[in-house]
Amino acid sequence: MNSTDLIPAPHSAYEPLSDARYPLDHRTLLDAGPGTEGAARWLRATVGAATGLPLAPGEADDNRVVLRVDPGIGHRLGPESYRIAVDGHAIRVDGGGPAGVFWAAQTLRQLLGPDAFRRAPIAARAEWTVPCGVIEDAPRFGWRGLMLDVARHFMPKGDLLAYLDLMAAHKLNVLHLHLTDDQGWRLEIRRYPRLTEVGSWRERTKFGHRDSPLWDERPHGGHYTQDDIREIVAYAAERHITVVPEIDIPGHSQAAIAAYPELGNADAVDTASLGVWTTWGVNPNVLSPADTTLRFYENVLDEVLELFPGTFVHIGGDECPKEQWRASPAAQARIRELGLADEDELQSWFVGHFGHWLAERGRRLIGWDEILEGTALEADPPEGVTAATKEAVGATGLAEGAVVSSWRGYAGGIAAARAGHDVVMCPKQQVYFDYRQAPGDDEPVPIGYVRTLEDVYRFEPVPPELTGAEAERVLGAQANVWTEVLEDRRRVDYQTFPRLAAFAEAVWSPLPPPLERDFAGFQARMTAHYARLDALGVDYRPPGGPLPWQRRPGVSGRPIDGSPPIV
């Protein structure tokens, strides 16, 4: 094991010509300076458990791991940067901030070898070694995210905590939790208990794509209590991961309407007859634009803000059909009352209301790129926004500080950045991990385009159309794991890994342009990384294709042939 096996690849690494290695044994001390206490706890609890080494606190002239926060490194490279120097006397870890020290600890575990990723020692070893040399590293982007859709298929708390560990191992720092949708409401809201009493359970589940004739007739559901969320958020914070909650508004809301029918457009549809949706697709049942609906969701968000202390709150805003608003006398009266042109502007008003509400409380709204629709870009586009881009993304005029998750392609992100808004790039054609990983009949429930490990490795978050200050609006990127056809943790593992390793390198490392990237070198480093994933118990897709129990014969998907468009 050496520094050339690291994933994601560091900014720079130097090893002496000799094969010198530094040993860690039962006498090795962990010398943790101010600001490094969290990384020290993690090293003792995780690496200590795997190696059987106590890593006792203390100072010594040699045989120690030294953790320090170095403001100089932080000033030069940022708070998530770090430097590891291993010589004949010590392992010295300097971070630009506490996060930098923690990411260095992740690198140190990789240097110790795959067995350092286990939960207990598998053999008696007198010592563990790391190669001598110097590694200096810092991330390319500040937003390195993973979106987990726990609304379509509930992911128990223990699985979420395991995924936080997997994210930390790949130096990812944002967990976007998709908590509500038509098929389930997963967050306890004490003021509105029916959201989980009713909204967190569905009678049965479509098995496969929505056109599949198959059903799983077992009820499906579950939710996180508020104490569960506090635990998840605290566990993430110990790993320098921010949890961003998503509460869908105004579409994708049938589970909420099933619990509280007054939230829907009762003058256009019999909302009292609606249950939690059991199939997939874009649902016509959307929220009513009434003041009582606004107050309801403000009360929901009051509790959300108490649970999630981070800056960002995701409100969805995507795939909101307008048919019910067109048929609703109350919605039409609302449009006239507000002086809006049409239902698109009504959606923009809906989103804008919560953007301002969150801003007044010191938070920032983030939403899918449909939040660009029905606003001011169409009338007065920023310089450089083409007619094609306008047609693709609608208009923009978001509240100051609002952020766009660009999922339908790059176009929404390009328009938002040019209009002065920050962007998280997550184009479905590139980083939707429910999309299949290879052609052929063996891939389980094949969805969308083929997105291979190499395709993800060549993903570039900043499109060439953006330069200078516009490019700086790209906060980073995230991979999205939608779970309509992912019924449990093993299926999520299969779709997510090993592609998450390639994504992590694309958002952390200073890679060349996509076509110039050394994928062969990455594949060679993956040999060591597969052993780490094995030690962690990840049910990833093997390089040779799915194992027999990973296939889903006879379950139809929705494969799309050809290469995905760059839009």
Side-chain angles (χ1 to χ4, degrees):
M1 171 63 62
N2 55 56
S3 63
T4 61
D5 289 324
L6 296 176
I7 290 178
H11 188 277
S12 66
Y14 162 76
E15 293 181 20
L17 294 177
S18 69
D19 292 328
R21 300 184 71 86
Y22 185 86
L24 283 75
D25 57 31
H26 285 270
R27 296 168 296 172
T28 301
L29 300 179
L30 187 56
D31 179 358
T36 71
E37 298 85 355
R41 282 194 301 272
W42 181 86
L43 279 167
R44 289 194 186 97
T46 306
V47 175
T51 61
L53 302 180
L55 300 175
E59 300 179 14
D61 292 335
D62 55 15
N63 199 8
R64 61 177 174 151
V65 179
V66 183
L67 308 181
R68 294 290 186 270
V69 171
D70 184 342
I73 292 178
H75 180 73
R76 181 164 57 92
L77 297 174
E80 293 189 279
S81 63
Y82 66 87
R83 185 176 188 269
I84 298 176
V86 184
D87 58 22
H89 302 285
I91 298 173
R92 301 181 185 276
V93 173
D94 295 297
V101 177
F102 181 75
W103 302 133
Q106 300 298 323
T107 298
L108 180 60
R109 180 164 68 158
Q110 290 196 19
L111 293 172
L112 285 166
D115 287 346
F117 286 75
R118 297 186 180 275
R119 296 191 180 187
I122 60 172
R125 290 171 60 168
E127 64 180 26
W128 295 68
T129 64
V130 297
C132 292
V134 177
I135 296 170
E136 191 168 88
D137 204 6
R140 180 184 176 196
F141 293 105
W143 187 298
R144 306 180 303 280
L146 175 67
M147 191 285 300
L148 288 176
D149 170 20
V150 297
R152 270 56 174 269
H153 277 99
F154 179 64
M155 182 174 282
K157 181 188 68 176
D159 290 342
L160 266 191
L161 298 178
Y163 257 79
L164 286 167
D165 284 331
L166 290 170
M167 290 177 65
H170 292 82
K171 299 185 174 73
L172 301 177
N173 67 347
V174 177
L175 173 62
H176 170 178
L177 273 185
H178 184 76
L179 289 164
T180 73
D181 215 296
D182 301 302
Q183 297 86 1
W185 183 288
R186 306 297 177 210
L187 176 64
E188 177 191 20
I189 300 297
R190 290 176 176 168
R191 183 161 181 164
Y192 302 117
R194 286 177 59 83
L195 286 172
T196 48
E197 291 172 359
V198 173
S200 70
W201 291 91
R202 59 178 181 264
E203 293 181 351
R204 62 177 185 165
T205 300
K206 175 66 71 172
F207 193 34
H209 183 254
R210 61 179 175 269
D211 293 333
S212 166
L214 303 176
W215 291 88
D216 182 342
E217 296 292 347
R218 297 172 298 175
H220 178 85
H223 73 275
Y224 307 109
T225 68
Q226 294 202 356
D227 282 344
D228 288 337
I229 292 295
R230 292 185 181 95
E231 179 184 359
I232 290 164
V233 169
Y235 195 84
E238 277 280 307
R239 287 147 183 79
H240 297 275
I241 297 170
T242 299
V243 183
V244 175
E246 179 179 351
I247 306 295
D248 258 310
I249 301 169
H252 287 291
S253 297
Q254 183 164 321
I257 296 168
Y260 292 94
E262 64 271 22
L263 295 174
N265 297 281
D267 58 347
V269 64
D270 180 11
T271 58
S273 68
L274 296 176
V276 178
W277 212 27
T278 58
T279 188
W280 319 121
V282 178
N283 190 301
N285 294 298
V286 302
L287 296 175
S288 162
D291 284 340
T292 52
T293 305
L294 300 182
R295 300 293 89 76
F296 182 99
Y297 274 86
E298 288 170 1
N299 292 334
V300 167
L301 289 172
D302 275 334
E303 296 191 30
V304 169
L305 298 190
E306 291 179 4
L307 296 169
F308 297 91
T311 301
F312 299 96
V313 175
H314 207 294
I315 56 83
D318 63 314
E319 296 180 330
C320 178
K322 310 299 192 297
E323 287 80 5
Q324 287 186 6
W325 287 347
R326 294 188 184 101
S328 164
Q332 292 301 308
R334 189 64 146 170
I335 290 172
R336 292 190 297 272
E337 172 195 343
L338 296 169
L340 303 176
D342 54 22
E343 291 77 18
D344 285 341
E345 288 195 2
L346 183 63
Q347 178 176 348
S348 176
W349 165 81
F350 221 125
V351 171
H353 173 87
F354 288 100
H356 291 296
W357 188 91
L358 288 167
E360 289 170 357
R361 288 153 181 81
R363 304 297 185 94
R364 295 178 68 182
L365 178 147
I366 181 169
W368 304 110
D369 55 50
E370 285 95 330
I371 68 173
L372 298 168
E373 295 177 350
T375 51
L377 173 59
E378 202 161 54
D380 187 20
E383 184 178 354
V385 175
T386 66
T389 297
K390 285 168 54 184
E391 183 178 356
V393 304
T396 189
L398 301 177
E400 185 176 356
V403 180
V404 170
S405 299
S406 191
W407 76 274
R408 289 181 291 181
Y410 288 102
I414 292 169
R418 286 177 171 166
H421 292 282
D422 290 338
V423 176
V424 174
M425 285 293 186
C426 47
K428 64 180 180 179
Q429 302 87 349
Q430 312 300 324
V431 288
Y432 265 33
F433 283 179
D434 53 322
Y435 280 18
R436 56 193 172 134
Q437 301 186 64
D441 296 332
D442 284 345
E443 289 303 308
V445 199
I447 298 294
Y449 296 102
V450 172
R451 293 286 85 194
T452 65
L453 183 66
E454 181 174 0
D455 291 330
V456 175
Y457 187 67
R458 299 191 189 282
F459 166 60
E460 173 50 50
V462 182
E465 293 92 332
L466 296 181
T467 60
E470 294 172 352
E472 292 175 1
R473 287 289 184 179
V474 179
L475 301 178
Q478 69 183 33
N480 291 343
V481 183
W482 299 103
T483 63
E484 287 94 334
V485 300
L486 311 182
E487 69 275 12
D488 56 28
R489 162 76 188 278
R490 297 184 81 183
R491 282 286 290 122
V492 172
D493 278 2
Y494 179 90
Q495 295 298 134
T496 304
F497 291 96
R499 292 186 292 185
L500 193 68
F503 173 82
E505 188 150 313
V507 294
W508 176 281
S509 304
L511 298 178
L515 294 180
E516 300 174 22
R517 295 177 186 175
D518 181 11
F519 179 67
F522 175 77
Q523 280 185 304
R525 285 183 285 124
M526 279 300 297
T527 300
H529 202 65
Y530 285 122
R532 297 174 193 134
L533 296 178
D534 286 332
L536 288 166
V538 178
D539 201 21
Y540 59 86
R541 181 189 188 275
L547 299 168
W549 57 87
Q550 293 174 323
R551 300 169 185 152
R552 295 291 185 275
V555 183
S556 62
R558 186 182 57 88
I560 304 175
D561 294 329
S563 299
I566 305 299
V567 295

